[in-house]
Amino acid sequence: MFNTSLQMSLNCPSHLSVSVTRQRNVCKRRLNPVLAVPPSSVILHTDESGEFPESRNSSSSSNASLSSCAGSLLCHPNTVGIMGGGSVDSTLSFVRKLVHWSKENEETCTPFVLCSDPVLNRELLSLERNSSTLCSRNARSQFDHSPIVENLLSKRVFLEKSGAQCIVVPCHISHSWHDEVFNGCSIPSLHMAECVSRELKEAKLKPLEAGSPLRIGVLATDVTLKAGFYQEKLQNEGFEVVLPDKATMEHTVIPAIDAINRKDMEGARNLLRIALQVLLVREVNTVILASNDMCDLLPRDDPLLKKCIDPMDALVMSTIKWAQQAVKEANRRTTTRVKVRLLLQ
């Protein structure tokens, strides 16, 4: 499947699975659509410590390639670190879009390091899908989020050391602790709510009714809405945020998540349609579907989806723009250094 592959035992508490793509001049052939990575890849499996000891099964040339950048896996100026969240499927969907969309206008694929931890996946998914049990203020205050924050922080440090120059998190609920996790980070990170808010601002939308403010609806799980980061970022851009009222949450949104847990997709789909229609009659320009489960419920040709926006798409486009700008900046610095050397000769 891969032109070159390497398996190493790493020491990390939660058996991380890390995918690394190496940048090529041209990505000529399409690989397995599930993996959606360029032809040359490195797959690393961790065990208990988090360091990169030499693997007895790997070739000397592969080991050399890993140590050629002062211990970093990759040293491209546009390397993206991807921190997996509650859903492996949504993480892979983000990767597919990142690879395919970045190749539409470029000859090269965006290099990335992907860190996916099944323990963290389960914790985040359980928190998001069981948010109905945490609706009361007392239940939320008693829930200890510190293990999740510590886990996310360790992944951030891992990606920094792996050579990432920017980190993205294709997971809604993980952004609840974005400020804590990225405080003191040595490289930039892209916030999904900021990306979608900026995209809506640049779209220059017009109010549905003259003289009224631009209204943006947000539909998400209770725990994501309670975190408030989508409301904050949208309001910073001047939008009026419209959320589902208490009755809509109790009778459509939360039951829809419960239906998903029961594998009753048709029931969940019908409830989601009702929740969307309730928001749309409140004169919102568009509805942000801030839930991977909700985005996957409706068929692609559903008319209601035309009124919705997936924040994950905005994160992908912002990541591509960052990567393109990073390459331009690196080329500019290289040109400047060459000119200075020529002047000194």
Side-chain angles (χ1 to χ4, degrees), residues 119-296:
V119 173
L120 181 62
N121 297 153
R122 287 194 297 271
E123 290 176 348
L124 291 172
L125 191 62
S126 175
L127 177 61
E128 187 167 33
R129 288 191 174 179
N130 295 300
S131 60
S132 58
T133 64
L134 299 172
C135 285
S136 71
R137 182 174 300 176
N138 289 336
R140 290 196 304 274
S141 62
Q142 293 173 5
F143 189 86
D144 184 13
H145 295 141
S146 58
I148 293 178
V149 175
E150 291 173 4
N151 198 327
L152 290 168
L153 182 58
S154 70
K155 304 304 181 294
R156 188 212 88 186
V157 174
F158 180 87
L159 290 172
E160 284 181 276
K161 292 181 178 179
S162 298
Q165 299 302 310
C166 177
I167 297 177
V168 297
V169 188
C171 171
H172 300 281
I173 194 170
S174 293
H175 284 72
S176 303
W177 311 282
H178 186 275
D179 292 345
E180 295 176 68
V181 172
F182 288 97
N183 182 35
C185 186
S186 62
I187 57 177
S189 63
L190 300 182
H191 193 294
M192 185 150 51
E194 284 183 355
C195 294
V196 71
S197 299
R198 193 181 308 116
E199 181 177 291
L200 288 170
K201 186 73 172 181
E202 293 172 353
K204 299 186 183 301
L205 301 173
K206 295 182 180 180
L208 296 182
E209 185 177 310
S212 64
L214 279 167
R215 296 190 179 97
I216 304 297
V218 180
L219 197 58
T221 60
D222 185 74
V223 69
T224 298
L225 292 179
K226 288 294 192 297
F229 53 88
Y230 274 105
Q231 297 92 303
E232 176 190 349
K233 302 303 181 183
L234 286 165
Q235 288 167 356
N236 288 345
E237 294 292 348
F239 295 110
E240 180 179 314
V241 182
V242 179
L243 303 179
D245 57 23
K246 183 179 179 182
T248 303
M249 290 297 298
E250 291 180 352
H251 298 295
T252 61
V253 178
I254 292 175
I257 299 300
D258 291 339
I260 292 173
N261 292 336
R262 298 192 309 270
K263 308 298 182 184
D264 177 14
M265 296 307 172
E266 186 60 32
R269 193 173 295 118
N270 292 334
L271 289 167
L272 174 59
R273 288 193 175 106
I274 295 172
L276 283 172
Q277 289 165 348
V278 170
L279 278 179
L280 290 171
V281 298
R282 296 169 66 184
E283 297 183 343
V284 298
N285 285 69
T286 188
V287 176
I288 293 176
L289 275 181
S291 165
N292 297 322
D293 287 330
M294 293 181 187
C295 285
D296 295 337

